[in-house]
Amino acid sequence: MEEKIIKTEYSEVMQKSFIDYAMSVIIARALPDARDGLKPVQRRVLYDMHELGIRYDRPYRKSARIVGDTMGKYHPHGDSSIYEALVVMTQEFKKGLPLIDGHGNFGNIEGDGAAAMRYTEARLEKVAQESFLSDLDKDVVDFVPNFDETEKEPSVLPAKFPNLLVNGSEGIAVGMATSIPPHNLGEVIGAVKAYMMDSAITTRELMGYIKGPDFPTGGIVINKDELLDIYESGTGKIKVRGKVDIEKGKGGKTNVVISQIPYTMIGANIAKFLMDVAALSESKKTMDIVDISNQSSKEGIRIVIELKKDADVDNFINMLYKKTRLEDTFGVNMLAIAEGRPEVMGLKEIIKHNVDFQFQVATRKYTTLLAKERERKEIQEGLIKACNVIDLIIEILRGSRDRGMAKACLVEGKVTGIKFRSKESKVMAAQLRFTEKQANAILEMRLYKLIGLELEALIGEHEETMANIYRYEDILDRRDSMAQVIINELEEIRKSYAVPRKTLIENAREAVYVEKKAEEMEVVFLMDRFGYARCVDHSVYERNKEAADGENKYVFSCKNTGKICLFTNTGQLHTVKVMDIPYGKFRDKGVPIDNISNFNGEKEQVIAAASQTSLNLYRVIFVTRLAMIKIVDGGEFDVAKRTVAATKLSEGDQVASVSILNQQKQMVLQSGEGYFLKFDVEEIPEKKKNAIGVRGMKLGPEDFVENVYYTCSGESHSIEYKGKAVDLQKLKPGKKDGKGTKIRV
């Protein structure tokens, strides 16, 4: 076969491929469907469990079996994503209404993960079986081929309530993300009923039923007045606080007890909260904390913070709201797949999509049931008619040579070839006109059906069938009747599964925290060559001066209320509050400087450190490796931002030296190739910090400034260069932008 090469633009192929990939992620993986509130992986897990018969009233089965079967039949994307979806659907602290009943370790609210799938077991919850899967055999939804077209799977599950609201959803697609909070089942059903009664109902009126989100972790929503705008637009920010109680402690102390946490604190954020509270004490933001303990258990969250006797409890609680995630923001973006495309929807739109879906499902369900009842009616009427002429039918069966001859007589009245006992029987047989289905039922009828009681039961079944047909026709013909059926089902679900609201909705005042000003004092900043920083008292430094100067790269005095400025080789200035640096004993290890600043120890190198107060009093000399020099007024580095550009660098250049200009009279630049250039500091021009500066030394093509030295008049200053002593005072003075003198060794 001749090879056919198709030439096309590479950019067009990339664009098409990316769009295909993006749509696949958006539609088939990351976003839930507005109708059943499920992502594809969740839907497939539930359907697979239904197919495997892992019902709520049957034994648990290994999670690994469920995951493997789901992956092999419906979701070919890796077992970890499938198991994670299964785990989340079991977790009561994440879902308002769990759909899977887990047996074993399925993780906890504090962030511990679930055990491996080979250890855990699961089965469907009763609500999932009854409200999502029970009507699949009634042709209520479309079934589509799976990924390899060897199986069929439902395109959507016939959910009987707006699961998108009840359980919420979170997902990140390509260029978009969804974040829908969970809500109270009883309130959602009340809103759905209200919408079905009056489709012109407003979002404000719907919120008379749905007060706001109902998080499984409880907590307090504090911006009640903003909820209407959020639920109308489908986007916004919900502010959530944990529930805080005050208890009397031992010895007159006060215990601040956190019994409910914001939904956003689920997982590792509880541990981070405890660390943040401890950090507030360590950094002297508060001196009121005596002890912190996490007493949480299966019964619920209980974090106890013990305070001193004279502590201002209200101010301390406000500090927790301001400085930790005890008050947090839940970003709402109610994005879901509606009619095959992603759409941001408000509360009313979500309910509308679900109600419309309910009517579609009900229409298909009762159309299927009506067809079955009509078929039963046809067969029942045939059997009743047959019982009335049973002697004739027996005579036809005995006189026929085969089944086909008997059936032809029953359906069409053909009597040719059939032996009758009398002409009257033959005439009557010729008048029979049973339907095809009735004839088959008669031919398959067992003799015990001729018993009188059985005949009465058949007549009773026929009456029941007629009643069902009348009811189903009424439901299909009248929207009000169908709406009432849906409402009755919703009421049954509410009675069985609704629980009281956990989250309180209110308008709370913004937390006002008055930070106590620390008493200003002089401390000594110490930072070793590994980047660990700490502060000590002046008296501690004086007692350990020799060790402090020998073991640390940077040692200087500063105010505890001030800032430390770190200059790096990349031309950046990082500022750190002295209050953020641990203050304590001389032998304390300290904290890595990159933990409390934006300094990146992997990509940057600190080449100078100074207190911001000192910089304000002096000027600063910059020297780069390509010999660009300048003087900058230290006041330019009195900045509020944590990171700013300290100087401008040309491409490929780095800062070689940053020094505070004090008593220096002359500068000596030493290049990597051994050239020394000495000139007066007065020759260096003063520039702004965003200037490159001027050239201080002529360098060879591969040469660079290796070291920078300063001398003062009348003072001897010797250095060692490659094993040779060099007296800087004896170097021949030169001018800025000279080549310098080469020292030969």
Side-chain angles (χ1 to χ4, degrees):
M1 184 176 178
E2 187 177 344
E3 192 177 67
K4 186 177 182 182
I5 299 174
I6 300 174
K7 292 185 178 181
T8 185
E9 276 288 329
Y10 183 72
S11 59
E12 292 178 5
V13 175
M14 289 296 294
Q15 184 179 19
K16 183 180 182 304
S17 299
F18 181 77
I19 291 173
D20 290 345
Y21 162 74
M23 289 306 297
S24 174
V25 172
I26 291 168
I27 303 297
R29 294 196 71 176
L31 300 184
D33 193 297
R35 295 171 292 178
D36 62 6
L38 298 172
K39 298 179 186 179
V41 63
Q42 296 171 323
R43 186 180 304 117
R44 287 163 177 168
V45 168
L46 294 175
Y47 178 66
D48 186 75
M49 294 178 73
H50 173 70
E51 286 293 286
L52 291 174
I54 313 175
R55 316 288 171 87
Y56 68 91
D57 54 355
R58 295 184 184 177
Y60 295 94
R61 297 283 288 276
K62 283 287 185 185
S63 300
R65 170 66 192 278
I66 300 166
V67 171
D69 203 64
T70 303
M71 182 169 58
K73 288 182 178 179
Y74 310 116
H75 197 75
H77 293 294
D79 56 356
S80 59
S81 62
I82 300 172
Y83 185 50
E84 184 179 348
L86 186 153
V87 167
V88 169
M89 286 192 285
T90 70
Q91 294 175 330
E92 295 180 352
F93 52 86
K94 282 190 179 178
K95 295 295 181 184
L97 190 65
L99 302 179
I100 294 177
D101 179 11
H103 183 243
N105 176 15
F106 278 90
N108 59 36
I109 196 171
E110 296 188 38
D112 296 325
M117 68 181 83
R118 62 183 178 275
Y119 299 121
T120 60
E121 297 177 334
R123 65 183 177 189
L124 289 169
E125 285 279 8
K126 188 176 182 181
V127 65
Q129 188 65 49
E130 292 180 346
S131 302
F132 287 79
L133 301 159
S134 59
D135 290 334
L136 282 175
D137 58 343
K138 298 179 180 66
D139 190 34
V140 291
V141 295
D142 294 331
F143 277 72
V144 296
N146 69 339
F147 62 92
D148 62 359
E149 299 188 357
T150 58
E151 302 279 346
K152 292 279 189 179
E153 61 175 314
S155 58
V156 64
L157 294 185
K160 295 181 179 178
F161 58 85
N163 180 55
L164 189 65
L165 288 174
V166 173
N167 276 324
S169 186
E170 290 185 2
I172 300 173
V174 179
M176 59 185 71
T178 185
S179 180
I180 304 172
H183 296 80
N184 184 272
L185 175 65
E187 293 180 3
V188 171
I189 289 176
V192 172
K193 288 171 60 179
Y195 175 83
M196 293 177 69
M197 298 291 187
D198 177 17
S199 61
I201 191 171
T202 64
T203 302
R204 183 184 293 275
E205 290 169 332
L206 284 172
M207 291 191 66
Y209 300 91
I210 299 177
K211 309 299 182 185
D214 187 23
F215 298 109
T217 55
I220 305 167
V221 171
I222 61 171
N223 58 333
K224 180 179 179 180
D225 288 345
E226 298 176 16
L227 294 182
L228 178 60
D229 290 338
I230 293 172
Y231 281 110
E232 280 186 335
S233 64
T235 60
K237 293 180 179 179
I238 295 174
K239 294 179 182 178
V240 193
R241 283 180 183 172
K243 184 182 178 185
V244 180
D245 300 312
I246 299 172
E247 298 178 357
K248 289 184 178 180
K250 296 178 181 178
K253 296 173 184 174
T254 303
N255 289 342
V256 173
V257 180
I258 298 160
S259 55
Q260 294 179 0
I261 60 173
Y263 188 64
T264 53
M265 264 178 65
I266 290 175
N269 286 324
I270 294 180
K272 187 178 185 305
F273 169 74
L274 296 172
M275 292 172 62
D276 289 344
V277 175
L280 291 173
S281 181
E282 291 172 3
S283 62
K284 306 296 188 267
K285 287 279 195 291
T286 177
M287 304 293 288
D288 296 333
I289 299 175
V290 176
D291 188 33
I292 310 167
S293 60
N294 185 3
Q295 301 174 10
S296 304
S297 63
K298 291 182 179 179
E299 280 68 43
I301 293 291
R302 182 178 170 82
I303 298 171
V304 181
I305 304 172
E306 188 177 354
L307 303 182
K308 293 178 180 177
K309 290 182 183 179
D310 57 347
D312 184 343
V313 178
D314 291 336
N315 192 53
F316 177 79
I317 293 172
N318 285 339
M319 181 188 67
L320 292 181
Y321 289 145
K322 283 288 188 182
K323 301 290 186 180
T324 72
R325 295 189 70 172
L326 191 61
E327 180 181 312
D328 208 355
T329 300
F330 183 95
V332 176
N333 188 38
M334 296 201 285
L335 176 71
I337 304 299
E339 298 177 1
R341 60 188 179 88
E343 182 180 340
V344 176
M345 294 173 283
L347 177 64
K348 184 176 178 180
E349 285 77 17
I350 291 176
I351 292 176
K352 176 183 182 300
H353 277 291
N354 184 263
V355 169
D356 290 347
F357 179 59
Q358 293 300 325
F359 277 100
Q360 291 173 14
V361 167
T363 300
R364 292 181 64 162
K365 174 182 175 180
Y366 288 104
T367 299
T368 301
L369 291 176
L370 179 60
K372 288 182 178 179
E373 290 298 319
R374 283 174 173 169
E375 185 178 337
R376 288 183 64 193
K377 168 180 172 286
E378 180 183 338
I379 293 171
Q380 288 167 352
E381 288 176 346
L383 292 176
I384 292 171
K385 180 181 174 182
C387 288
N388 293 332
V389 290
I390 191 63
D391 293 334
L392 176 61
I393 289 174
I394 292 173
E395 194 172 340
I396 293 170
L397 294 176
R398 293 184 66 183
S400 299
R401 290 196 303 270
D402 53 36
R403 178 188 174 95
M405 183 180 287
K407 185 176 179 180
C409 180
L410 294 174
V411 175
E412 302 172 16
K414 292 182 179 180
V415 295
T416 306
I418 300 176
K419 296 179 181 179
F420 292 94
R421 292 182 179 179
S422 63
K423 289 183 180 181
E424 290 80 3
S425 297
K426 187 173 184 179
V427 171
M428 291 175 63
Q431 297 173 1
L432 294 177
R433 290 296 183 273
F434 290 98
T435 66
E436 189 88 13
K437 291 178 181 178
Q438 289 174 338
N440 288 330
I442 292 168
L443 293 172
E444 293 169 2
M445 183 177 65
R446 297 186 180 183
L447 290 175
Y448 77 89
K449 289 287 185 181
L450 302 176
I451 299 172
L453 291 176
E454 287 292 329
L455 183 58
E456 290 179 12
L458 183 61
I459 294 171
E461 287 176 10
H462 182 252
E463 291 174 353
E464 182 182 340
T465 300
M466 293 303 295
N468 287 339
I469 289 173
Y470 174 78
R471 177 167 168 263
Y472 296 157
E473 286 177 342
D474 179 63
I475 291 171
L476 290 169
D477 292 342
R478 295 175 58 240
R479 186 178 177 85
D480 289 347
S481 296
M482 185 176 288
Q484 190 58 51
V485 169
I486 295 172
I487 288 172
N488 291 342
E489 289 182 344
L490 288 172
E491 273 303 318
E492 288 297 320
I493 293 170
R494 175 150 65 177
K495 288 179 183 177
S496 301
Y497 305 109
V499 295
R501 164 174 280 279
K502 296 178 181 177
T503 301
L504 182 65
I505 309 291
E506 65 180 26
N507 283 314
R509 294 179 182 175
E510 184 176 352
V512 178
Y513 163 57
V514 180
E515 188 169 350
K516 295 179 182 177
K517 291 186 177 180
E519 183 181 347
E520 188 173 85
M521 58 184 287
E522 196 84 17
V523 296
V524 178
F525 171 79
L526 306 173
M527 186 171 123
D528 62 24
R529 61 191 180 91
F530 299 107
Y532 281 81
R534 64 196 187 281
C535 290
V536 296
D537 189 79
H538 251 285
S539 60
V540 174
Y541 168 70
E542 291 298 334
R543 289 196 303 270
N544 301 275
K545 188 175 187 306
E546 186 177 347
D549 294 343
E551 295 173 4
N552 293 284
K553 188 174 181 180
Y554 301 105
V555 180
F556 52 82
S557 295
C558 58
K559 297 284 188 183
N560 65 333
T561 55
K563 292 181 180 179
I564 302 297
C565 294
L566 304 173
F567 295 91
T568 73
N569 60 330
T570 59
Q572 297 295 306
L573 168 66
H574 301 293
T575 60
V576 183
K577 289 182 180 179
V578 177
M579 283 291 187
D580 293 338
I581 302 171
Y583 173 84
K585 300 177 182 177
F586 177 72
R587 286 298 172 190
D588 287 347
K589 189 175 182 180
V591 64
I593 199 69
D594 49 358
N595 282 9
I596 53 175
S597 70
N598 293 336
F599 171 69
N600 187 339
E602 295 180 358
K603 297 179 180 179
E604 297 179 287
Q605 179 184 352
V606 175
I607 59 171
S611 71
Q612 198 172 68
T613 307
S614 299
L615 291 176
N616 285 337
L617 300 175
Y618 297 97
R619 296 186 296 168
V620 182
I621 305 175
F622 282 85
V623 182
T624 74
R625 284 172 62 86
L626 297 183
M628 303 304 292
I629 60 175
K630 67 177 178 179
I631 293 176
V632 180
D633 187 281
E636 289 201 43
F637 304 112
D638 190 355
V639 294
K641 290 184 178 180
R642 296 185 69 190
T643 300
V644 295
T647 185
K648 187 176 181 181
L649 295 172
S650 55
E651 187 176 351
D653 201 2
Q654 289 187 344
V655 178
S657 169
V658 178
S659 303
I660 293 177
L661 179 58
N662 191 356
Q663 300 294 327
Q664 303 97 317
K665 295 297 182 183
Q666 292 177 313
M667 170 187 280
V668 179
L669 300 180
Q670 177 228 312
S671 76
E673 294 180 357
Y675 287 91
F676 285 73
L677 176 64
K678 183 170 72 170
F679 56 89
D680 291 339
V681 171
E682 292 178 353
E683 293 187 54
I684 306 173
E686 185 167 329
K687 301 278 187 180
K688 293 293 185 182
K689 70 177 182 352
N690 58 354
I692 292 179
V694 299
R695 189 168 67 176
M697 183 181 188
K698 291 179 181 177
L699 298 171
E702 302 296 328
D703 205 1
F704 60 92
V705 173
E706 187 173 54
N707 287 304
V708 180
Y709 305 104
Y710 296 94
T711 64
C712 298
S713 58
E715 291 184 6
S716 177
H717 188 182
S718 294
I719 61 145
E720 183 178 318
Y721 174 69
K722 294 186 178 180
K724 181 179 180 178
V726 178
D727 190 343
L728 299 180
Q729 291 288 8
K730 294 181 179 180
L731 287 174
K732 181 182 177 181
K735 292 290 184 181
K736 172 176 65 67
D737 201 22
K739 189 170 183 180
T741 304
K742 187 173 178 65
I743 302 296
R744 303 189 182 278
V745 293

